[in-house]
Amino acid sequence: AKFIQWCHKNYQANRYELILWDHGSGSVSGYGYDEKNPRSGSMSLAGINEALKAGGVEFDFIGFDACLMATLETGLMLDKYADSMIASAETEPGIGWYYTRWLSELSANPAMPTVEIGRMIVDDFVSTCASQTRGQSATLSVVDLAELSNTVPESLKEFSLSLSELIKNDQYQQ
């Protein structure tokens, strides 16, 4: 939250993107496992939700350059904070996203539509992985969070939110 607030205060802009880079473990274990400090654990979806809420910024997209984060639960949680989510439902090869082209293009055209930025990120990631990590698959998707939220039945949304609360409170048996 403090990082988001600091960036927003010191780098005013018309639009914002947030990329979370590191290790992802999906809906149950969350994001950001620190292999050099394993006792610190990961940030749960509830923790990410709290940080984004306290950060107070709306994003064009929130991306995870991390494994296993393209889940329904992640998307529903991010819906309040971003228009789109960019994430992989599978493990990502260690090289991660290829940032050069899309950042250069966005710098040249700051009005570029978010969906075009997302398409570039996905295309570059998949093609770079194909050439540099032969034999490893690469998946990455751009999800329109408003569409996702509108297509998920209300009962499933409620179930997902209730599970997030149980996970937040370490009530895994329940």
Side-chain angles (χ1 to χ4, degrees), residues 51-140:
L52 292 170
K53 184 177 182 179
V57 174
E58 259 188 62
F59 297 95
D60 285 351
F61 75 79
I62 296 176
F64 288 92
D65 190 352
C67 300
L68 306 168
M69 295 307 295
T71 65
L72 180 61
E73 297 86 357
T74 303
L76 291 174
M77 180 272 298
L78 293 178
D79 179 51
K80 295 177 281 214
Y81 311 108
D83 296 328
S84 299
M85 170 180 73
I86 303 174
S88 176
E90 297 292 335
T91 56
E92 285 190 359
I95 62 170
W97 294 5
Y98 180 74
Y99 290 84
T100 305
R101 184 170 77 110
W102 75 268
L103 284 173
S104 297
E105 296 279 337
L106 180 59
S107 178
N109 178 12
M112 180 185 297
T114 302
V115 71
E116 193 174 321
I117 296 168
R119 184 178 303 120
M120 218 180 302
I121 291 170
V122 169
D123 290 348
D124 287 349
F125 172 71
V126 171
S127 65
T128 301
C129 287
S131 68
Q132 294 185 18
T133 62
R134 297 195 189 283
Q136 292 185 34
S137 63
T139 63
L140 195 62

